[in-house]
Amino acid sequence: MGLGERIGRGNTADIYVLGSEQVLKVFHDPKLLDLERGNSIVIEELAVGAPTFYGVVETDGLTGLAYERIPGPSMLEILMSKPEIAAEYGRQLAQIHVKVHSVRATGRLHSIKSRLAYTISGIRHSGFEPLREAIVSLLSELPDGDHLCHGDFHPGNVLLSLKGPVVIDWMTAACGPAQADVARTIMILRHAVLPAELPEVVIQAFAQLRTLLLQTYEDTYLEMTGLSREELVKWELPLMAARLGESVPDEEKRTLLTLIRQQLR
């Protein structure tokens, strides 16, 4: 089974065509391979409709994780060309997320609270040190949970195949309260800065649709589950803090740090 062209590049990995029906995910940091491998085994057993996982593959000098190739664009790709469907996709995004959270993952994955605490403890961003203790204290008071949480759920990680939506990229999957996972999605939709190398027309298109996408996603999720906005807001500070430890643009980090300081006043 030969390695084909690279068809995707993200913050943590490159995606290559592998044979005719698979893709190979090759990580920039090899340590992440074991993390995602463990999560992928659990996700496969939970049967949540993710791409089939085939395990570790070595080929053409590269080592990665092999997955079923899902033909079809991501929600984000379609939104960029058809911003008029933002409300429809916001509702669909919420419906898919509710389905993910209907799965219980107790004892199968790391706790989302422990993962956030670990990430926050390791942040060395300038200006964050005076805020760390207060945020860790807030996090410790938040509830635990047993729902399956994706950890990075957004339109770019939902592929639209002929058989229906497929959620990909489960490296950050965890067990915890659904509120934390929803609050993470809201944070991404509200504050994520697109890569500067994207065409200006794409960046402008996303800026126009993101507010409506976020509004319909949040409204639909809350209506379907009976959760309140207040339950989501409680997770904002630790999630924004943890985001500072990710490979995101400096502009986004500055925005998040400002918001953190404002909320802790």
Side-chain angles (χ1 to χ4, degrees):
M1 189 181 301
L3 191 68
E5 64 177 325
R6 187 177 71 186
I7 57 174
R9 183 171 181 83
N11 289 332
T12 60
D14 293 337
I15 308 296
Y16 294 87
V17 172
L18 183 64
S20 60
E21 299 181 350
Q22 297 182 25
V23 295
L24 187 70
K25 188 171 185 177
V26 179
F27 295 88
H28 305 152
D29 180 352
K31 290 182 293 186
L32 296 178
L33 185 148
D34 287 334
L35 171 62
E36 179 157 332
R37 176 180 175 273
N39 280 358
S40 294
I41 290 171
V42 174
I43 296 303
E44 184 86 2
E45 293 171 351
L46 291 175
V48 297
T52 301
F53 176 54
Y54 297 107
V56 178
V57 169
E58 297 183 24
T59 181
D60 293 354
L62 295 175
T63 301
L65 299 179
Y67 294 94
E68 172 190 8
R69 185 176 185 181
I70 305 297
S74 70
M75 272 191 168
L76 182 60
E77 289 172 312
I78 296 181
L79 279 167
M80 291 302 190
S81 60
K82 296 182 178 179
E84 67 274 10
I85 62 174
E88 176 188 342
Y89 272 19
R91 287 188 287 271
Q92 284 190 36
L93 197 67
Q95 292 163 358
I96 297 166
H97 216 179
V98 169
K99 185 176 180 180
V100 168
H101 294 152
S102 70
V103 177
R104 294 299 191 268
T106 305
R108 308 300 305 277
L109 296 163
H110 289 298
S111 155
I112 199 167
K113 282 183 64 175
S114 64
R115 179 168 292 172
L116 286 171
Y118 177 80
T119 302
I120 292 169
S121 70
I123 292 173
R124 297 295 179 263
H125 190 279
S126 175
F128 180 71
E129 191 60 42
L131 313 173
R132 191 190 316 272
E133 185 176 349
I135 293 172
V136 170
S137 177
L138 285 171
L139 176 61
S140 69
E141 297 172 1
L142 292 173
D144 294 303
D146 63 354
H147 298 274
L148 172 61
C149 297
H150 182 275
D152 196 28
F153 186 80
H154 56 74
N157 278 335
V158 179
L159 302 184
L160 301 176
S161 75
L162 293 176
K163 297 179 181 179
V166 178
V167 182
I168 63 170
D169 198 3
W170 291 85
M171 184 177 71
T172 52
C175 178
Q179 297 95 309
D181 209 28
V182 176
R184 159 87 184 188
T185 296
I186 290 171
M187 176 186 69
I188 293 172
L189 294 179
R190 182 175 288 146
H191 299 301
V193 174
L194 296 179
E197 60 267 21
L198 287 177
E200 182 63 26
V201 64
V202 171
I203 295 175
Q204 290 298 328
F206 185 68
Q208 292 174 5
L209 66 85
R210 72 192 303 166
T211 299
L212 183 55
L213 180 71
L214 169 58
Q215 179 184 333
T216 52
Y217 163 79
E218 184 175 1
D219 288 347
T220 302
Y221 191 96
L222 295 180
E223 181 181 351
M224 290 182 68
T225 61
L227 293 175
S228 68
R229 283 186 170 83
E230 290 72 24
E231 292 176 271
L232 305 181
V233 169
K234 293 177 182 178
W235 289 91
E236 283 185 352
L237 272 171
L239 285 166
M240 288 192 294
R243 182 76 166 165
L244 295 174
E246 299 179 32
S247 299
V248 297
D250 289 342
E251 177 187 348
E252 184 176 341
K253 290 184 177 181
R254 287 192 295 269
T255 297
L256 294 175
L257 193 57
T258 298
L259 291 170
I260 292 169
R261 287 171 173 155
Q262 290 174 350
Q263 291 195 32
L264 286 175
R265 283 177 184 170

